[in-house]
Amino acid sequence: MREILAIYWKEISDAMRDRRTLMMVLASSLLLVPVLLFVFSTVMSQVESQAVDRTVMAVNMKDAPGLENYILRQGYQIKQAPADYEEKSRNKELTKPVLLIPENFENSLAQVKRVELEIAYDTSNRQAEMGLGPLRRLLNGYVQERSGLDLMMRGISPDLLQTITVKERHISRPDERKVTITGMLPMVLIMAIVMGGMFAAIDSTAGERERGSLEPLMMNPVSGLQLAVGKTAAVASVSVLIVILTVSSFFPAQSVIANEALRAEFQFGVKDALAFLVVLLPLAAALSSLQVALSLTCKTFKEANVRNQLLSLTVSFLPLFFILNPGKEPAWLGWVPVMAQTQMMNQVLKGELVSLNSIAIALLVCTGIVIASLSFVSKKMRQVVME
């Protein structure tokens, strides 16, 4: 145990010596979540502002007095669009879509002719595109009202054409939290873990091989298992620190959320933080042991960096499965590292209880990964000297 602790403290000292990398990793773990939540909440506020903004930009509204009357009755204001609305929409100066009304619109309706309303907007203008939904709903309401009036003028009740009504009934639990944008946070945490331990893992293995300091270390009376445990424990300590700091950043992050709906949705308390730590700490140890094992197979720092980045990309994008495939998750996901942790973190964010069975399975899998990696590293350590 004394030898393992000596190796552990030696690796921790080496990791702390690279102040620039250390500060970058620590700063990103503390600032990543607050920055993301601030950006998400700002975007949501922009979307909601478009929905609340009751203004319609139109061209040739004078030829549609009936439509103008309907829009005003819905509490909207009508503004004349500028003549160069196309250019201003492309330059992002115009932040709303423009309603284009054809000439003789009202006369064509009176003659029962088919008419066409156009909505003009630049697809690269995100703010204008956000106002597209409210304007479409407004025009659909006008079309329904106009069609109903036309039927009544001919002595036909509009109710005859609407024998079916559809309404929604929400069956979610009263205490269940809504998870939309915050569903991406588990992916952020996974990325923080893999990126946080990567540099320490590379430096303690491939970095030492490249510097020629691994061979003198092997000349000491220590076994390969002691070296494997000491180095892996040091890398895991860095990853665990990143996990704790990132989860802790959730608390101040709630104060920078600029959207009321997102603030009400993102209710992260002490119990949630403890649940996240229970879920993530075994995963941090498993990923650290994998990074040490992968880095030890490389002879140079650059080679190890490339391989670990591929591993990091693979691990970081696994949580996208839950975003791209919403619905009931298959049972076998509980046995897949990263996927199981993402599933449990989503349950915590929804306010659901994570089952002890799920935690036990994830812990068992992570323990198996750590044991297999330590076994590989302990054997590989002696082979490295001979290569």
Side-chain angles (χ1 to χ4, degrees), residues 45-57 75-77 79 95-97 127 130-131 134-135 138:
S45 296
Q46 289 179 351
V47 174
E48 291 178 358
S49 67
Q50 287 288 355
V52 173
D53 184 11
R54 306 181 73 82
T55 303
V56 174
M57 302 291 294
Y76 282 79
Q77 294 181 344
K79 292 185 178 180
T95 59
K96 296 190 71 66
Q127 282 189 295
M130 290 173 187
L135 181 56
L138 184 65

Side-chain angles (χ1 to χ4, degrees), residues 162-179:
Q162 295 182 352
T163 58
I164 299 176
T165 58
V166 180
K167 64 179 182 179
E168 298 178 359
R169 181 165 64 92
H170 297 163
I171 58 175
S172 58
R173 300 192 319 272
D175 59 339
E176 183 177 354
R177 302 175 194 166
K178 184 181 178 182
V179 175

Side-chain angles (χ1 to χ4, degrees), residues 285-343:
L287 291 177
S288 298
S289 63
L290 274 178
Q291 289 173 326
V292 172
L294 181 62
S295 301
L296 192 60
T297 62
C298 305
K299 295 183 178 180
T300 63
F301 191 97
K302 184 177 181 180
E303 181 185 359
N305 190 30
V306 172
R307 292 190 184 183
N308 274 277
Q309 284 184 355
L310 291 175
L311 174 66
S312 300
L313 285 174
T314 302
V315 169
S316 299
F317 283 109
L318 283 176
L320 284 176
F321 173 86
F322 298 96
I323 298 175
L324 301 177
N325 297 278
K328 183 175 177 59
E329 297 88 0
W332 55 264
L333 284 181
W335 294 88
V336 181
V338 178
M339 303 284 274
Q341 282 75 17
T342 303
Q343 188 179 38

